[in-house]
Amino acid sequence: MNRNTSLEKLKSEEFDICIIGAGASGAGCALDAVLRGYKVAIIDRKDFASETSSRSTKLIHGGVRYLEQAVKKLDFAQLKQVKHGLEERHIVLNNAPHLARPLALLTPVNSWIEGLYYKVGLQIYDTFATKDSLPKSKWLSKKEVLEKMPSLDRKTLHSGVLYYDGQLDDARYCLALVQSASEAGAVAANYIEVNSFEKDEKGKINAVTVSDMQSGDSFTIKSRMVINCTGPFSDKIRLAANPKLPERIRPSKGVHVVLPYETLNSEYAMLIPKTSDGRVVFAIPFEGAMIIGTTDTECKDINAEPTLNQEEKQYLVDTLNPYLARKIDISQLKAGFGGLRPLLSADPSKSTKSLLRDHEIEVDSHSGLISLLGGKWTTYRLMAKDTIDVADEVFAKKNSCVTDQYTLAGGENYNPELWQQLQTDFGFEEDICRHLVRKYGSRAIQIGALTLNDPALKQRLSARYPYIKAEVVYGTQHEMIVTPRDFLARRIRLEITDWKETLHCLPVVAELMSKSLGWNEEEKQKQIAGYSAELKKYISDAG
C-alpha cells in the first residue's frame, strides 16, 4: 500500500463504490466488494482501525452474556446474535491464523450450584458452535483451576468452568483486511476526511468532497455509490447526505485497564460473570500484559477520544479483586484504552447495556447513501456480506460472496514454526522471531530481509519487548504508517500495553520514520511533541 499512489488514483479515477470508514466493517466491505468485481475506494479520516476497531476486548465470540439473557427472557433476537457470532467465529480464526487463535477462558465459581449453572449454560453455548473444532467446555476441580491460574484466592474458590472462544489482534486484523482489499485492486488511503457530498440532478450522491489531513489539500472522489461504515460516527455522515434522516446511533463507551501479566500469571483468560452493573468482565492475557474490561456507559461527546476516568478504573479493579489472592490497586496500571460501541436504538429511554450488538443496512432513498449500522467485531464479515448484497441489488447484479474462505494478507502459506527459519536466516532472538510471525505471518520474512542490508535494523526498540527497528521501516513502506502513533498504537500495540515504554520508544520511531518519509527536523520534533504530550497526560492521570 502506497499512500501517494492511492491519492493520485482517488483524484483521477471513478469508482463503483466509495467506502467511508476503514474499521472492521468498512475494511470487510472493501474486501468483499473488490472480490465481487467492483472498483472500490476506501478512506478513513484517521488511521485504519484507529477508533472502535482497535479498542475491543480482543475476543472473537458469540457472547455468553447474550446467551444468558436470551434464555432468561426468551429473547430470540439475542439468541440469533449468539448464533451468528459462533458461526462467524471459526471463519475469523481460519482466515488469518497468524492474527487470531483459540483462547481458553476460566470462570471461577464459589459453590457447586453456581458451577452447575455455568456448566449448563456453556454446554448450550457449545451446541451453537457447530462449525469449528474448539474444545468443549469442562467443569474443573479447585485443584485443576489453581494449576491453571495460581493467582486466584483459594479460600473462596470452589471450582471453575473452562470454555473456549477466540482472540485476535484487532488493529492488525483490520489492517490485514485493508491490505488484502488493496492487493485485490481496491484503492485505500488513511487520513482522508469527508467534507460534503456532490449529487446528480436526481439528488443521488455521485461524488465525495474530501480533505487530505496531511497536506490540507481538498479534492473530489467520483463514485457511483457511497457506503457509510463509520460506526459511532454514522449519524454525522447520514445527516450530511440527508439532513431529514432521524439519528439511529446510541454511542456507548467501554474502557479497559491494562495490568502486569503477573496479576493473573496465566495464559488462560478469566470470565467474571457477576458485576455490580449486570455485565460480564474479562481479564485476558495480551502482548505480555493483562487486559481487564469492559465497562458500559452512555457517551455524550463522541468527538473527544474516549479515555479512562478514576471511577471506571476503580470499577474494573474492584470487579477483579474478589477473585485474587493478592489484591491489586490502581497504582499498578500500565496502560488503558477506551472505545465507542455503535449501538442501534430507536428508544432513547433504553439503557445502552440492554441494546443488542446487531447490525442493520439502511438505504436512504433520497441520497442513495448506504449505511452499515451497529454490529461487532466477530460478525464483521457477515455485516460486510449483507451490505455488499444490498449493493448488488442496487446495481442489479448477482455476485457470490467468497470472503468466508479468503485467506488474509500474511496468512498465505502460514506456518507457525516459521519463527525457527527467521532465527536461522537472520539471527534474531527467539522472542523476536515469535513476535514477527504472530504479527506479520508469512510476510515476516520481508522484515528479516530489511536487516540484511542494514544490520542496525535488528536492534530492539525497547530492551523489554521484542519489537525491532526494521518494523518501523517496513511499516512506512508497506503498511501506510503516517504518524508514530500509527505504528506504536496499532501496528505493534505497545501503546495499549505500556504507556511509559511507548514514550521511551517514541524518539527512535520518529527518527526512523523521518528517514523513510523524508521529514525535516521541524516535522520530526512536531510529531514527537504532539504524541509525547498525550502519553504524558495518560501517565499522569494514572497516577
Side-chain angles (χ1 to χ4, degrees):
M1 297 193 298
N2 182 285
R3 191 169 184 271
N4 290 334
T5 301
S6 291
L7 290 176
E8 291 174 8
K9 291 181 177 181
L10 290 174
K11 293 174 183 178
S12 61
E13 298 180 7
E14 185 169 353
F15 298 89
D16 297 318
I17 299 173
C18 178
I19 296 167
I20 304 170
S25 59
C29 284
L31 179 60
D32 195 337
V34 76
L35 292 179
R36 296 196 201 194
Y38 292 114
K39 189 170 182 179
V40 176
I42 178 169
I43 57 174
D44 197 290
R45 67 175 182 148
K46 293 184 180 179
D47 187 30
F48 310 119
S50 60
E51 299 283 359
T52 301
S53 294
S54 63
R55 299 162 189 243
S56 75
T57 312
K58 323 303 178 202
L59 285 178
I60 313 161
H61 64 132
V64 290
R65 181 170 68 95
Y66 302 131
L67 178 62
E68 184 179 32
Q69 295 301 315
V71 173
K72 283 183 176 179
K73 300 177 181 179
L74 296 179
D75 186 338
F76 291 104
Q78 299 258 21
L79 207 59
K80 177 184 173 185
Q81 182 78 357
V82 174
K83 183 173 182 291
H84 282 164
L86 291 175
E87 286 174 346
E88 290 296 310
R89 184 177 69 179
H90 79 285
I91 297 175
V92 179
L93 288 167
N94 290 346
N95 287 5
H98 57 306
L99 297 172
R101 55 197 59 88
L103 178 70
L105 295 102
L106 272 170
T107 302
V109 297
N110 298 325
S111 68
W112 71 267
I113 294 176
E114 198 176 59
L116 181 62
Y117 177 79
Y118 295 129
K119 175 60 177 131
V120 170
L122 288 167
Q123 276 186 316
I124 297 172
Y125 191 67
D126 288 341
T127 62
F128 283 96
T130 57
K131 295 184 179 179
D132 60 34
S133 57
L134 295 186
K136 302 302 180 186
S137 59
K138 292 191 294 185
W139 194 352
L140 304 180
S141 68
K142 179 176 179 176
K143 179 182 177 183
E144 289 173 315
V145 173
L146 290 171
E147 285 173 352
K148 292 174 169 54
M149 201 170 282
S151 56
L152 297 182
D153 187 350
R154 63 180 61 239
K155 295 176 185 176
T156 58
L157 182 69
H158 174 273
S159 56
V161 180
L162 175 69
Y163 78 102
Y164 287 80
D165 261 322
Q167 182 178 42
L168 83 167
D169 182 335
D170 50 9
R172 288 207 66 91
Y173 204 107
C174 183
L175 177 68
L177 288 166
V178 177
Q179 287 177 305
S180 301
S182 177
E183 290 166 14
V187 177
N190 49 8
Y191 295 95
I192 302 293
E193 183 169 39
V194 173
N195 297 326
S196 61
F197 296 110
E198 293 184 5
K199 299 177 181 178
D200 62 20
E201 64 279 0
K202 296 180 180 178
K204 305 293 186 184
I205 295 172
N206 61 10
V208 187
T209 302
V210 299
S211 293
D212 178 353
M213 303 299 287
Q214 294 301 299
S215 68
D217 293 342
S218 294
F219 60 94
T220 298
I221 302 171
K222 297 177 182 178
S223 184
R224 297 166 61 202
M225 175 185 290
V226 174
I227 299 179
N228 171 21
C229 294
T230 55
F233 310 97
S234 295
D235 282 341
K236 179 180 179 182
I237 299 298
R238 293 172 64 248
L239 294 172
N242 181 0
K244 295 181 180 180
L245 289 172
E247 293 187 356
R248 298 292 312 282
I249 300 296
R250 287 274 303 283
S252 159
K253 184 176 85 162
V255 305
H256 299 76
V257 298
V258 180
L259 294 161
Y261 178 86
E262 292 73 26
T263 306
L264 282 186
N265 196 28
S266 175
E267 63 184 22
Y268 290 76
M270 180 162 65
L271 164 65
I272 301 173
K274 290 181 180 178
T275 63
S276 58
D277 65 348
R279 291 185 54 76
V280 298
V281 165
F282 295 94
I284 298 175
F286 183 77
E287 299 289 320
M290 191 199 66
I291 294 174
I292 313 173
T294 178
T295 59
D296 191 327
T297 54
E298 191 92 22
C299 180
K300 300 298 184 183
D301 182 11
I302 64 172
N303 294 313
E305 180 169 341
T307 54
L308 297 78
N309 61 41
Q310 195 68 21
E311 183 181 348
E312 291 163 334
K313 289 184 281 191
Q314 196 63 52
Y315 163 81
L316 291 170
V317 168
D318 289 347
T319 298
L320 180 62
N321 264 337
Y323 296 88
L324 298 179
R326 182 177 294 177
K327 310 306 179 188
I328 55 174
D329 60 54
I330 293 297
S331 67
Q332 293 169 273
L333 185 81
K334 291 180 64 184
F337 56 96
L340 300 178
R341 301 180 188 89
L343 301 177
L344 269 172
S345 176
D347 183 357
S349 67
K350 281 189 174 182
S351 161
T352 54
K353 288 187 285 288
S354 69
L355 299 179
L356 271 175
R357 299 296 301 277
D358 211 350
H359 66 276
E360 178 184 318
I361 292 89
E362 174 192 77
V363 181
D364 175 31
S365 58
H366 292 282
S367 68
L369 179 73
I370 296 177
S371 294
L372 171 51
L373 306 174
K376 64 175 188 174
W377 237 117
T378 303
T379 55
Y380 88 87
R381 192 205 65 86
L382 177 63
M383 293 156 57
K385 176 185 180 299
D386 290 347
T387 305
I388 306 306
D389 283 348
V390 170
D392 274 351
E393 291 177 16
V394 173
F395 285 132
K397 292 186 176 181
K398 286 188 178 181
N399 295 306
S400 297
C401 175
V402 297
T403 53
D404 58 336
Q405 298 181 35
Y406 193 84
T407 302
L408 301 182
E412 322 92 334
N413 305 311
Y414 174 68
N415 177 5
E417 302 305 315
L418 176 62
W419 69 268
Q420 295 172 341
Q421 183 183 337
L422 292 179
Q423 200 169 35
T424 300
D425 292 351
F426 306 110
F428 298 141
E429 293 176 73
E430 182 176 332
D431 64 331
I432 292 173
C433 296
R434 289 185 181 276
H435 151 69
L436 292 175
V437 172
R438 284 169 70 99
K439 283 285 176 283
Y440 305 90
S442 56
R443 302 183 180 196
I445 295 290
Q446 297 177 29
I447 294 169
L450 291 173
T451 68
L452 295 178
N453 293 326
D454 188 353
L457 295 179
K458 290 183 178 183
Q459 295 172 7
R460 293 175 187 256
L461 296 171
S462 160
R464 298 175 57 190
Y465 292 94
Y467 315 127
I468 61 173
K469 290 181 176 181
E471 294 177 78
V472 184
V473 176
Y474 182 83
T476 60
Q477 294 176 351
H478 301 287
E479 297 184 344
M480 213 178 281
I481 63 170
V482 173
T483 72
R485 192 177 192 186
D486 297 341
F487 178 77
L488 288 162
R490 289 173 286 278
R491 303 303 185 270
I492 64 169
R493 316 317 311 275
L494 185 58
E495 184 197 297
I496 67 167
T497 58
D498 193 329
W499 285 331
K500 289 182 179 178
E501 207 59 26
T502 302
L503 185 61
H504 170 74
C505 294
L506 174 56
V508 179
V509 171
E511 178 63 29
L512 289 163
M513 290 184 66
S514 176
K515 291 176 180 177
S516 292
L517 298 176
W519 293 344
N520 58 28
E521 184 64 20
E522 182 183 1
E523 178 62 24
K524 183 181 77 172
Q525 293 304 326
K526 178 183 173 184
Q527 293 283 348
I528 293 173
Y531 190 22
S532 64
E534 290 184 50
L535 290 167
K536 288 174 182 176
K537 185 176 187 307
Y538 297 155
I539 295 166
S540 174
D541 290 347

